[in-house]
Short mmCIF file of all heavy atoms in Angstrom, two decimals:
data_model
loop_
_atom_site.label_atom_id
_atom_site.label_comp_id
_atom_site.label_asym_id
_atom_site.label_seq_id
_atom_site.Cartn_x
_atom_site.Cartn_y
_atom_site.Cartn_z
N MET A 708 -33.93 23.76 -6.36
CA MET A 708 -33.12 22.67 -6.80
C MET A 708 -33.65 21.37 -6.21
O MET A 708 -34.07 21.32 -5.06
CB MET A 708 -31.67 22.90 -6.36
CG MET A 708 -30.71 21.92 -6.96
SD MET A 708 -29.02 22.51 -6.79
CE MET A 708 -28.43 21.33 -5.63
N ASP A 709 -33.64 20.30 -6.98
CA ASP A 709 -34.12 19.00 -6.51
C ASP A 709 -33.15 18.42 -5.50
O ASP A 709 -31.95 18.56 -5.60
CB ASP A 709 -34.27 18.03 -7.68
CG ASP A 709 -35.40 18.41 -8.61
OD1 ASP A 709 -36.35 19.06 -8.13
OD2 ASP A 709 -35.33 18.07 -9.80
N LYS A 710 -33.73 17.76 -4.53
CA LYS A 710 -32.93 17.11 -3.50
C LYS A 710 -32.55 15.72 -3.98
O LYS A 710 -33.36 14.99 -4.52
CB LYS A 710 -33.73 17.04 -2.20
CG LYS A 710 -32.92 16.73 -1.02
CD LYS A 710 -33.72 16.92 0.26
CE LYS A 710 -32.81 16.74 1.44
NZ LYS A 710 -33.47 16.97 2.69
N THR A 711 -31.30 15.34 -3.79
CA THR A 711 -30.81 14.03 -4.20
C THR A 711 -30.97 13.06 -3.04
O THR A 711 -30.59 13.36 -1.92
CB THR A 711 -29.33 14.11 -4.59
OG1 THR A 711 -29.17 15.08 -5.61
CG2 THR A 711 -28.83 12.78 -5.08
N TYR A 712 -31.56 11.91 -3.33
CA TYR A 712 -31.79 10.90 -2.31
C TYR A 712 -30.97 9.66 -2.59
O TYR A 712 -30.62 9.38 -3.73
CB TYR A 712 -33.27 10.49 -2.26
CG TYR A 712 -34.17 11.57 -1.74
CD1 TYR A 712 -35.03 12.25 -2.58
CD2 TYR A 712 -34.16 11.91 -0.40
CE1 TYR A 712 -35.87 13.24 -2.09
CE2 TYR A 712 -34.99 12.89 0.10
CZ TYR A 712 -35.84 13.57 -0.76
OH TYR A 712 -36.65 14.54 -0.26
N LEU A 713 -30.69 8.92 -1.52
CA LEU A 713 -30.04 7.63 -1.67
C LEU A 713 -31.08 6.59 -2.09
O LEU A 713 -32.23 6.66 -1.70
CB LEU A 713 -29.43 7.19 -0.33
CG LEU A 713 -28.28 8.04 0.22
CD1 LEU A 713 -27.91 7.54 1.60
CD2 LEU A 713 -27.09 8.00 -0.70
N ALA A 714 -30.62 5.60 -2.86
CA ALA A 714 -31.50 4.48 -3.21
C ALA A 714 -31.69 3.61 -1.97
O ALA A 714 -30.94 3.70 -1.00
CB ALA A 714 -30.86 3.67 -4.34
N TYR A 715 -32.71 2.78 -2.00
CA TYR A 715 -33.02 1.96 -0.83
C TYR A 715 -31.87 1.02 -0.46
O TYR A 715 -31.56 0.85 0.71
CB TYR A 715 -34.31 1.18 -1.04
CG TYR A 715 -35.50 2.08 -1.16
CD1 TYR A 715 -36.24 2.15 -2.32
CD2 TYR A 715 -35.87 2.91 -0.09
CE1 TYR A 715 -37.32 3.01 -2.42
CE2 TYR A 715 -36.95 3.77 -0.18
CZ TYR A 715 -37.68 3.81 -1.36
OH TYR A 715 -38.73 4.66 -1.46
N HIS A 716 -31.23 0.42 -1.46
CA HIS A 716 -30.11 -0.47 -1.15
C HIS A 716 -28.91 0.31 -0.59
O HIS A 716 -28.18 -0.19 0.26
CB HIS A 716 -29.70 -1.29 -2.38
CG HIS A 716 -29.01 -0.52 -3.45
ND1 HIS A 716 -29.71 0.27 -4.34
CD2 HIS A 716 -27.71 -0.39 -3.76
CE1 HIS A 716 -28.85 0.86 -5.16
NE2 HIS A 716 -27.63 0.47 -4.84
N GLU A 717 -28.73 1.55 -1.03
CA GLU A 717 -27.67 2.39 -0.48
C GLU A 717 -27.98 2.76 0.98
O GLU A 717 -27.08 2.83 1.81
CB GLU A 717 -27.52 3.67 -1.30
CG GLU A 717 -27.00 3.42 -2.69
CD GLU A 717 -27.06 4.63 -3.58
OE1 GLU A 717 -28.00 5.45 -3.44
OE2 GLU A 717 -26.14 4.78 -4.41
N THR A 718 -29.25 2.96 1.26
CA THR A 718 -29.67 3.27 2.63
C THR A 718 -29.37 2.08 3.55
O THR A 718 -28.86 2.26 4.66
CB THR A 718 -31.18 3.59 2.66
OG1 THR A 718 -31.42 4.71 1.81
CG2 THR A 718 -31.65 3.90 4.06
N MET A 719 -29.66 0.88 3.09
CA MET A 719 -29.38 -0.31 3.89
C MET A 719 -27.87 -0.50 4.08
O MET A 719 -27.42 -0.82 5.18
CB MET A 719 -29.98 -1.56 3.24
CG MET A 719 -31.51 -1.58 3.27
SD MET A 719 -32.17 -1.51 4.94
CE MET A 719 -31.53 -3.01 5.63
N ASP A 720 -27.09 -0.28 3.02
CA ASP A 720 -25.65 -0.39 3.14
C ASP A 720 -25.10 0.64 4.14
O ASP A 720 -24.24 0.31 4.96
CB ASP A 720 -24.98 -0.17 1.78
CG ASP A 720 -25.21 -1.31 0.81
OD1 ASP A 720 -25.61 -2.41 1.26
OD2 ASP A 720 -25.01 -1.11 -0.41
N LEU A 721 -25.62 1.84 4.07
CA LEU A 721 -25.20 2.90 4.99
C LEU A 721 -25.51 2.51 6.43
O LEU A 721 -24.68 2.69 7.33
CB LEU A 721 -25.91 4.20 4.62
CG LEU A 721 -25.48 5.45 5.36
CD1 LEU A 721 -24.02 5.78 5.07
CD2 LEU A 721 -26.36 6.61 4.96
N HIS A 722 -26.67 1.94 6.64
CA HIS A 722 -27.06 1.50 7.98
C HIS A 722 -26.13 0.40 8.50
O HIS A 722 -25.71 0.41 9.66
CB HIS A 722 -28.51 1.02 7.96
CG HIS A 722 -29.04 0.66 9.31
ND1 HIS A 722 -29.29 1.61 10.28
CD2 HIS A 722 -29.36 -0.54 9.84
CE1 HIS A 722 -29.75 0.99 11.35
NE2 HIS A 722 -29.80 -0.30 11.13
N GLU A 723 -25.77 -0.55 7.64
CA GLU A 723 -24.86 -1.63 8.02
C GLU A 723 -23.48 -1.08 8.36
O GLU A 723 -22.85 -1.52 9.34
CB GLU A 723 -24.75 -2.66 6.90
CG GLU A 723 -26.00 -3.50 6.74
CD GLU A 723 -25.89 -4.49 5.59
OE1 GLU A 723 -24.76 -4.83 5.19
OE2 GLU A 723 -26.94 -4.90 5.08
N ILE A 724 -23.00 -0.13 7.59
CA ILE A 724 -21.68 0.48 7.86
C ILE A 724 -21.70 1.21 9.18
O ILE A 724 -20.77 1.12 9.98
CB ILE A 724 -21.27 1.41 6.70
CG1 ILE A 724 -21.00 0.59 5.44
CG2 ILE A 724 -20.04 2.22 7.07
CD1 ILE A 724 -20.86 1.42 4.17
N LEU A 725 -22.79 1.95 9.43
CA LEU A 725 -22.91 2.67 10.69
C LEU A 725 -22.91 1.71 11.87
O LEU A 725 -22.24 1.96 12.88
CB LEU A 725 -24.18 3.53 10.70
CG LEU A 725 -24.42 4.35 11.96
CD1 LEU A 725 -23.29 5.34 12.20
CD2 LEU A 725 -25.75 5.09 11.87
N ASN A 726 -23.63 0.61 11.75
CA ASN A 726 -23.63 -0.39 12.83
C ASN A 726 -22.23 -0.97 13.07
O ASN A 726 -21.79 -1.11 14.21
CB ASN A 726 -24.61 -1.52 12.50
CG ASN A 726 -26.03 -1.13 12.73
OD1 ASN A 726 -26.33 -0.19 13.45
ND2 ASN A 726 -26.94 -1.84 12.08
N MET A 727 -21.53 -1.27 11.97
CA MET A 727 -20.19 -1.83 12.09
C MET A 727 -19.24 -0.83 12.76
O MET A 727 -18.47 -1.21 13.65
CB MET A 727 -19.65 -2.20 10.70
CG MET A 727 -18.27 -2.80 10.71
SD MET A 727 -17.61 -3.08 9.06
CE MET A 727 -17.41 -1.40 8.49
N LYS A 728 -19.29 0.42 12.37
CA LYS A 728 -18.43 1.44 12.95
C LYS A 728 -18.75 1.67 14.42
O LYS A 728 -17.87 1.88 15.24
CB LYS A 728 -18.57 2.77 12.17
CG LYS A 728 -17.78 2.82 10.91
CD LYS A 728 -16.31 2.75 11.25
CE LYS A 728 -15.43 3.02 10.10
NZ LYS A 728 -14.02 2.88 10.45
N THR A 729 -20.03 1.62 14.76
CA THR A 729 -20.44 1.81 16.15
C THR A 729 -19.93 0.67 17.03
O THR A 729 -19.41 0.91 18.13
CB THR A 729 -21.98 1.92 16.25
OG1 THR A 729 -22.42 3.01 15.42
CG2 THR A 729 -22.43 2.16 17.67
N VAL A 730 -20.04 -0.55 16.56
CA VAL A 730 -19.54 -1.70 17.30
C VAL A 730 -18.01 -1.62 17.46
O VAL A 730 -17.48 -1.87 18.54
CB VAL A 730 -19.95 -3.03 16.63
CG1 VAL A 730 -19.21 -4.21 17.22
CG2 VAL A 730 -21.45 -3.22 16.75
N ALA A 731 -17.31 -1.23 16.39
CA ALA A 731 -15.86 -1.10 16.47
C ALA A 731 -15.46 -0.02 17.46
O ALA A 731 -14.50 -0.18 18.23
CB ALA A 731 -15.29 -0.77 15.09
N LEU A 732 -16.21 1.07 17.49
CA LEU A 732 -15.93 2.14 18.44
C LEU A 732 -16.10 1.66 19.88
O LEU A 732 -15.23 1.88 20.73
CB LEU A 732 -16.85 3.33 18.16
CG LEU A 732 -16.82 4.48 19.18
CD1 LEU A 732 -15.46 5.13 19.22
CD2 LEU A 732 -17.90 5.48 18.86
N MET A 733 -17.21 1.00 20.14
CA MET A 733 -17.47 0.50 21.49
C MET A 733 -16.42 -0.52 21.93
O MET A 733 -15.93 -0.49 23.06
CB MET A 733 -18.87 -0.11 21.58
CG MET A 733 -19.98 0.91 21.45
SD MET A 733 -21.65 0.27 21.76
CE MET A 733 -21.68 -1.29 20.93
N LYS A 734 -16.04 -1.39 21.02
CA LYS A 734 -15.03 -2.41 21.33
C LYS A 734 -13.69 -1.77 21.65
O LYS A 734 -13.04 -2.14 22.64
CB LYS A 734 -14.89 -3.38 20.15
CG LYS A 734 -13.99 -4.52 20.40
CD LYS A 734 -13.98 -5.47 19.21
CE LYS A 734 -13.05 -6.63 19.42
NZ LYS A 734 -12.99 -7.52 18.28
N SER A 735 -13.29 -0.80 20.85
CA SER A 735 -12.01 -0.14 21.09
C SER A 735 -12.02 0.61 22.41
O SER A 735 -11.04 0.58 23.16
CB SER A 735 -11.68 0.84 19.95
OG SER A 735 -11.40 0.15 18.78
N LYS A 736 -13.11 1.28 22.72
CA LYS A 736 -13.21 2.03 23.98
C LYS A 736 -13.15 1.08 25.18
O LYS A 736 -12.47 1.36 26.15
CB LYS A 736 -14.52 2.83 24.05
CG LYS A 736 -14.47 4.19 23.42
CD LYS A 736 -13.37 5.04 23.95
CE LYS A 736 -13.84 6.08 24.92
NZ LYS A 736 -12.76 7.02 25.25
N LEU A 737 -13.84 -0.03 25.10
CA LEU A 737 -13.85 -0.99 26.20
C LEU A 737 -12.48 -1.66 26.38
O LEU A 737 -12.05 -1.88 27.50
CB LEU A 737 -14.93 -2.04 25.98
CG LEU A 737 -16.37 -1.57 26.14
CD1 LEU A 737 -17.34 -2.63 25.69
CD2 LEU A 737 -16.64 -1.18 27.58
N MET A 738 -11.84 -1.98 25.29
CA MET A 738 -10.55 -2.68 25.35
C MET A 738 -9.43 -1.79 25.86
O MET A 738 -8.44 -2.28 26.38
CB MET A 738 -10.19 -3.26 23.98
CG MET A 738 -11.14 -4.35 23.51
SD MET A 738 -11.22 -5.75 24.62
CE MET A 738 -9.63 -6.47 24.36
N GLN A 739 -9.57 -0.47 25.71
CA GLN A 739 -8.53 0.44 26.19
C GLN A 739 -8.26 0.27 27.68
O GLN A 739 -7.14 0.43 28.13
CB GLN A 739 -8.90 1.89 25.90
CG GLN A 739 -8.63 2.31 24.49
CD GLN A 739 -9.00 3.76 24.25
OE1 GLN A 739 -9.77 4.36 24.99
NE2 GLN A 739 -8.46 4.32 23.20
N GLY A 740 -9.30 -0.06 28.44
CA GLY A 740 -9.13 -0.26 29.86
C GLY A 740 -8.35 -1.51 30.22
O GLY A 740 -7.86 -1.65 31.34
N LEU A 741 -8.23 -2.43 29.28
CA LEU A 741 -7.54 -3.68 29.53
C LEU A 741 -6.11 -3.71 29.00
O LEU A 741 -5.37 -4.65 29.24
CB LEU A 741 -8.32 -4.83 28.89
CG LEU A 741 -9.76 -5.00 29.34
CD1 LEU A 741 -10.45 -6.09 28.51
CD2 LEU A 741 -9.82 -5.35 30.83
N VAL A 742 -5.73 -2.66 28.28
CA VAL A 742 -4.43 -2.61 27.63
C VAL A 742 -3.45 -1.80 28.48
O VAL A 742 -3.76 -0.69 28.88
CB VAL A 742 -4.55 -2.01 26.22
CG1 VAL A 742 -3.20 -1.80 25.59
CG2 VAL A 742 -5.42 -2.89 25.33
N PHE A 743 -2.28 -2.36 28.73
CA PHE A 743 -1.27 -1.68 29.52
C PHE A 743 -0.15 -1.09 28.68
O PHE A 743 0.55 -0.19 29.11
CB PHE A 743 -0.70 -2.61 30.58
CG PHE A 743 -1.75 -3.08 31.56
CD1 PHE A 743 -2.24 -4.37 31.52
CD2 PHE A 743 -2.25 -2.20 32.49
CE1 PHE A 743 -3.21 -4.78 32.41
CE2 PHE A 743 -3.22 -2.61 33.40
CZ PHE A 743 -3.71 -3.90 33.34
N ASP A 744 0.02 -1.60 27.46
CA ASP A 744 1.05 -1.09 26.56
C ASP A 744 0.61 0.29 26.02
O ASP A 744 -0.45 0.41 25.41
CB ASP A 744 1.27 -2.06 25.41
CG ASP A 744 2.36 -1.59 24.48
OD1 ASP A 744 3.53 -1.54 24.91
OD2 ASP A 744 2.03 -1.26 23.33
N GLN A 745 1.42 1.31 26.27
CA GLN A 745 1.05 2.67 25.91
C GLN A 745 0.97 2.88 24.39
O GLN A 745 0.13 3.64 23.91
CB GLN A 745 2.01 3.68 26.53
CG GLN A 745 1.94 3.72 28.05
CD GLN A 745 0.53 4.00 28.55
OE1 GLN A 745 -0.17 4.87 28.05
NE2 GLN A 745 0.09 3.24 29.54
N ASP A 746 1.83 2.20 23.63
CA ASP A 746 1.78 2.34 22.17
C ASP A 746 0.47 1.76 21.63
O ASP A 746 -0.17 2.35 20.76
CB ASP A 746 2.97 1.63 21.53
CG ASP A 746 4.29 2.35 21.80
OD1 ASP A 746 4.26 3.57 22.08
OD2 ASP A 746 5.34 1.68 21.73
N LEU A 747 0.10 0.60 22.14
CA LEU A 747 -1.15 -0.02 21.71
C LEU A 747 -2.35 0.82 22.14
O LEU A 747 -3.29 1.01 21.36
CB LEU A 747 -1.26 -1.44 22.28
CG LEU A 747 -2.51 -2.24 21.89
CD1 LEU A 747 -2.66 -2.32 20.38
CD2 LEU A 747 -2.44 -3.62 22.51
N ARG A 748 -2.30 1.36 23.34
CA ARG A 748 -3.38 2.20 23.82
C ARG A 748 -3.53 3.45 22.94
O ARG A 748 -4.64 3.87 22.61
CB ARG A 748 -3.15 2.59 25.26
CG ARG A 748 -4.32 3.39 25.83
CD ARG A 748 -4.14 3.66 27.28
NE ARG A 748 -4.43 2.42 27.99
CZ ARG A 748 -4.38 2.28 29.28
NH1 ARG A 748 -4.03 3.29 30.04
NH2 ARG A 748 -4.67 1.14 29.86
N ALA A 749 -2.39 4.04 22.54
CA ALA A 749 -2.42 5.22 21.66
C ALA A 749 -3.01 4.86 20.30
O ALA A 749 -3.78 5.64 19.72
CB ALA A 749 -1.02 5.79 21.50
N LEU A 750 -2.67 3.69 19.80
CA LEU A 750 -3.22 3.23 18.52
C LEU A 750 -4.73 3.03 18.62
O LEU A 750 -5.48 3.39 17.72
CB LEU A 750 -2.52 1.93 18.12
CG LEU A 750 -2.71 1.45 16.70
CD1 LEU A 750 -2.16 2.47 15.72
CD2 LEU A 750 -2.03 0.11 16.51
N MET A 751 -5.17 2.47 19.74
CA MET A 751 -6.59 2.26 19.96
C MET A 751 -7.33 3.59 20.08
O MET A 751 -8.43 3.74 19.58
CB MET A 751 -6.81 1.39 21.18
CG MET A 751 -6.33 -0.03 20.99
SD MET A 751 -6.42 -1.00 22.49
CE MET A 751 -8.11 -1.52 22.39
N GLU A 752 -6.71 4.57 20.72
CA GLU A 752 -7.33 5.89 20.85
C GLU A 752 -7.45 6.55 19.47
O GLU A 752 -8.44 7.21 19.18
CB GLU A 752 -6.53 6.78 21.79
CG GLU A 752 -7.11 8.15 21.98
CD GLU A 752 -8.53 8.15 22.52
OE1 GLU A 752 -8.92 7.24 23.27
OE2 GLU A 752 -9.29 9.10 22.18
N LYS A 753 -6.44 6.35 18.63
CA LYS A 753 -6.50 6.88 17.26
C LYS A 753 -7.68 6.24 16.51
O LYS A 753 -8.41 6.92 15.79
CB LYS A 753 -5.19 6.60 16.53
CG LYS A 753 -5.12 7.18 15.15
CD LYS A 753 -3.78 6.95 14.51
CE LYS A 753 -3.75 7.51 13.11
NZ LYS A 753 -2.46 7.24 12.44
N GLU A 754 -7.86 4.94 16.69
CA GLU A 754 -8.99 4.24 16.06
C GLU A 754 -10.31 4.79 16.56
O GLU A 754 -11.26 4.96 15.80
CB GLU A 754 -8.90 2.74 16.34
CG GLU A 754 -10.13 1.94 15.99
CD GLU A 754 -10.50 1.97 14.51
OE1 GLU A 754 -9.59 2.17 13.67
OE2 GLU A 754 -11.69 1.81 14.19
N VAL A 755 -10.39 5.08 17.85
CA VAL A 755 -11.61 5.67 18.43
C VAL A 755 -11.92 7.00 17.77
O VAL A 755 -13.05 7.25 17.35
CB VAL A 755 -11.47 5.82 19.97
CG1 VAL A 755 -12.56 6.71 20.53
CG2 VAL A 755 -11.50 4.45 20.64
N GLN A 756 -10.91 7.85 17.66
CA GLN A 756 -11.12 9.17 17.06
C GLN A 756 -11.52 9.06 15.59
O GLN A 756 -12.39 9.79 15.12
CB GLN A 756 -9.87 10.04 17.22
CG GLN A 756 -9.54 10.37 18.65
CD GLN A 756 -10.71 11.01 19.39
OE1 GLN A 756 -11.42 11.86 18.87
NE2 GLN A 756 -10.92 10.58 20.62
N GLN A 757 -10.91 8.15 14.86
CA GLN A 757 -11.27 7.93 13.46
C GLN A 757 -12.68 7.39 13.33
O GLN A 757 -13.41 7.77 12.41
CB GLN A 757 -10.26 7.00 12.78
CG GLN A 757 -8.92 7.64 12.56
CD GLN A 757 -7.90 6.67 11.99
OE1 GLN A 757 -8.04 5.44 12.09
NE2 GLN A 757 -6.85 7.22 11.40
N SER A 758 -13.07 6.52 14.23
CA SER A 758 -14.42 5.97 14.20
C SER A 758 -15.45 7.06 14.49
O SER A 758 -16.50 7.11 13.83
CB SER A 758 -14.58 4.84 15.22
OG SER A 758 -13.85 3.72 14.83
N ILE A 759 -15.16 7.93 15.42
CA ILE A 759 -16.08 9.02 15.72
C ILE A 759 -16.24 9.93 14.50
O ILE A 759 -17.36 10.33 14.15
CB ILE A 759 -15.60 9.82 16.96
CG1 ILE A 759 -15.75 8.97 18.21
CG2 ILE A 759 -16.35 11.14 17.10
CD1 ILE A 759 -15.10 9.55 19.45
N THR A 760 -15.14 10.24 13.83
CA THR A 760 -15.20 11.05 12.63
C THR A 760 -16.03 10.36 11.55
O THR A 760 -16.89 10.99 10.91
CB THR A 760 -13.77 11.33 12.10
OG1 THR A 760 -13.03 12.01 13.11
CG2 THR A 760 -13.81 12.17 10.84
N SER A 761 -15.80 9.07 11.36
CA SER A 761 -16.55 8.32 10.35
C SER A 761 -18.05 8.29 10.66
O SER A 761 -18.89 8.47 9.78
CB SER A 761 -16.03 6.89 10.25
OG SER A 761 -14.72 6.87 9.79
N ILE A 762 -18.38 8.06 11.93
CA ILE A 762 -19.78 8.01 12.33
C ILE A 762 -20.46 9.36 12.07
O ILE A 762 -21.58 9.41 11.57
CB ILE A 762 -19.91 7.57 13.80
CG1 ILE A 762 -19.56 6.08 13.92
CG2 ILE A 762 -21.29 7.87 14.35
CD1 ILE A 762 -19.40 5.59 15.34
N ASN A 763 -19.76 10.43 12.37
CA ASN A 763 -20.34 11.76 12.11
C ASN A 763 -20.54 12.01 10.63
O ASN A 763 -21.54 12.61 10.22
CB ASN A 763 -19.48 12.85 12.75
CG ASN A 763 -19.59 12.87 14.25
OD1 ASN A 763 -20.61 12.49 14.81
ND2 ASN A 763 -18.54 13.29 14.92
N GLU A 764 -19.61 11.55 9.81
CA GLU A 764 -19.76 11.69 8.35
C GLU A 764 -20.94 10.86 7.85
O GLU A 764 -21.71 11.31 7.00
CB GLU A 764 -18.48 11.28 7.65
CG GLU A 764 -17.34 12.26 7.85
CD GLU A 764 -16.03 11.78 7.26
OE1 GLU A 764 -15.99 10.69 6.65
OE2 GLU A 764 -15.03 12.51 7.42
N ILE A 765 -21.09 9.67 8.38
CA ILE A 765 -22.20 8.80 7.97
C ILE A 765 -23.54 9.43 8.39
O ILE A 765 -24.50 9.41 7.64
CB ILE A 765 -22.04 7.39 8.56
CG1 ILE A 765 -20.84 6.68 7.92
CG2 ILE A 765 -23.31 6.57 8.39
CD1 ILE A 765 -20.43 5.40 8.59
N ARG A 766 -23.57 10.01 9.58
CA ARG A 766 -24.81 10.66 10.05
C ARG A 766 -25.21 11.79 9.12
O ARG A 766 -26.41 12.04 8.92
CB ARG A 766 -24.60 11.17 11.47
CG ARG A 766 -24.54 10.02 12.47
CD ARG A 766 -24.33 10.50 13.87
NE ARG A 766 -25.48 11.32 14.29
CZ ARG A 766 -25.41 12.22 15.25
NH1 ARG A 766 -24.27 12.42 15.89
NH2 ARG A 766 -26.46 12.91 15.58
N GLU A 767 -24.25 12.48 8.53
CA GLU A 767 -24.57 13.54 7.57
C GLU A 767 -25.24 12.96 6.32
O GLU A 767 -26.11 13.59 5.72
CB GLU A 767 -23.31 14.31 7.17
CG GLU A 767 -22.82 15.28 8.22
CD GLU A 767 -23.83 16.37 8.51
OE1 GLU A 767 -24.34 16.99 7.56
OE2 GLU A 767 -24.12 16.61 9.69
N LEU A 768 -24.84 11.76 5.94
CA LEU A 768 -25.44 11.11 4.77
C LEU A 768 -26.90 10.72 5.02
O LEU A 768 -27.67 10.56 4.06
CB LEU A 768 -24.63 9.88 4.36
CG LEU A 768 -23.24 10.17 3.82
CD1 LEU A 768 -22.48 8.87 3.61
CD2 LEU A 768 -23.30 10.97 2.54
N TYR A 769 -27.28 10.57 6.27
CA TYR A 769 -28.66 10.22 6.59
C TYR A 769 -29.63 11.30 6.14
O TYR A 769 -30.82 11.04 5.99
CB TYR A 769 -28.81 9.96 8.09
CG TYR A 769 -28.67 8.49 8.45
CD1 TYR A 769 -27.43 7.87 8.42
CD2 TYR A 769 -29.77 7.73 8.80
CE1 TYR A 769 -27.29 6.54 8.74
CE2 TYR A 769 -29.64 6.39 9.13
CZ TYR A 769 -28.40 5.81 9.09
OH TYR A 769 -28.27 4.47 9.41
N LYS A 770 -29.14 12.49 5.89
CA LYS A 770 -30.00 13.56 5.38
C LYS A 770 -30.50 13.26 3.97
O LYS A 770 -31.45 13.87 3.52
CB LYS A 770 -29.25 14.90 5.41
CG LYS A 770 -28.90 15.36 6.79
CD LYS A 770 -28.11 16.64 6.74
CE LYS A 770 -27.73 17.08 8.13
NZ LYS A 770 -26.88 18.29 8.12
N HIS A 771 -29.84 12.34 3.30
CA HIS A 771 -30.18 12.00 1.93
C HIS A 771 -31.05 10.75 1.80
O HIS A 771 -31.22 10.21 0.72
CB HIS A 771 -28.92 11.83 1.09
CG HIS A 771 -28.08 13.07 1.05
ND1 HIS A 771 -28.43 14.17 0.31
CD2 HIS A 771 -26.94 13.39 1.69
CE1 HIS A 771 -27.51 15.11 0.47
NE2 HIS A 771 -26.60 14.66 1.33
N ILE A 772 -31.56 10.28 2.92
CA ILE A 772 -32.46 9.13 2.91
C ILE A 772 -33.86 9.63 2.66
O ILE A 772 -34.32 10.56 3.34
CB ILE A 772 -32.37 8.34 4.23
CG1 ILE A 772 -30.96 7.74 4.37
CG2 ILE A 772 -33.44 7.26 4.30
CD1 ILE A 772 -30.73 7.04 5.68
N PRO A 773 -34.56 9.06 1.69
CA PRO A 773 -35.92 9.55 1.40
C PRO A 773 -36.90 9.26 2.54
O PRO A 773 -36.76 8.26 3.24
CB PRO A 773 -36.33 8.77 0.14
CG PRO A 773 -35.44 7.56 0.13
CD PRO A 773 -34.19 7.95 0.84
N ASP A 774 -37.84 10.15 2.70
CA ASP A 774 -38.89 9.97 3.72
C ASP A 774 -39.90 8.96 3.16
O ASP A 774 -40.43 9.15 2.06
CB ASP A 774 -39.55 11.31 4.00
CG ASP A 774 -40.51 11.23 5.16
OD1 ASP A 774 -40.45 10.24 5.92
OD2 ASP A 774 -41.31 12.16 5.32
N LEU A 775 -40.16 7.93 3.90
CA LEU A 775 -41.04 6.84 3.40
C LEU A 775 -42.51 7.11 3.71
O LEU A 775 -43.36 6.32 3.35
CB LEU A 775 -40.60 5.51 4.00
CG LEU A 775 -39.19 5.06 3.65
CD1 LEU A 775 -38.85 3.77 4.38
CD2 LEU A 775 -39.02 4.90 2.16
N HIS A 776 -42.82 8.17 4.40
CA HIS A 776 -44.20 8.43 4.80
C HIS A 776 -44.97 9.08 3.69
O HIS A 776 -44.72 9.79 2.91
CB HIS A 776 -44.26 9.32 6.04
CG HIS A 776 -43.57 8.66 7.21
ND1 HIS A 776 -44.11 7.61 7.88
CD2 HIS A 776 -42.37 8.89 7.78
CE1 HIS A 776 -43.30 7.25 8.84
NE2 HIS A 776 -42.23 8.00 8.81
#
């Protein structure tokens, strides 16, 4: 069966989304240490977990990027 690849512009979009999610994850993790409100901290932890899930899903899509060599 033929392997399906992402188009080049889709690859760039995927890379931009991954960068955005990674920055959001780092920001949420760092800010948790500065937050004293437990409800806000729980919300931030939920965001962290969702970001980790999203990043892992995006990494799976990297298998569909064509080899340029």
Side-chain angles (χ1 to χ4, degrees):
M708 189 164 111
D709 291 333
K710 195 169 186 177
T711 304
Y712 291 108
L713 295 174
Y715 295 116
H716 71 281
E717 293 170 326
T718 301
M719 291 301 298
D720 290 343
L721 187 63
H722 185 69
E723 288 178 23
I724 292 169
L725 181 60
N726 284 339
M727 181 186 67
K728 280 295 189 183
T729 303
V730 168
L732 172 63
M733 291 187 318
K734 185 176 179 182
S735 291
K736 274 305 257 189
L737 289 171
M738 294 301 289
Q739 280 181 340
L741 302 174
V742 173
F743 297 107
D744 182 66
Q745 294 305 315
D746 291 336
L747 181 55
R748 184 175 284 180
L750 193 62
M751 293 173 85
E752 181 59 30
K753 184 177 179 182
E754 168 62 26
V755 166
Q756 295 306 318
Q757 289 175 339
S758 290
I759 290 170
T760 301
S761 296
I762 288 170
N763 288 332
E764 289 174 2
I765 292 169
R766 289 179 63 204
E767 284 297 311
L768 292 173
Y769 266 73
K770 295 177 181 177
H771 300 286
I772 295 175
D774 188 15
L775 298 176
H776 300 287

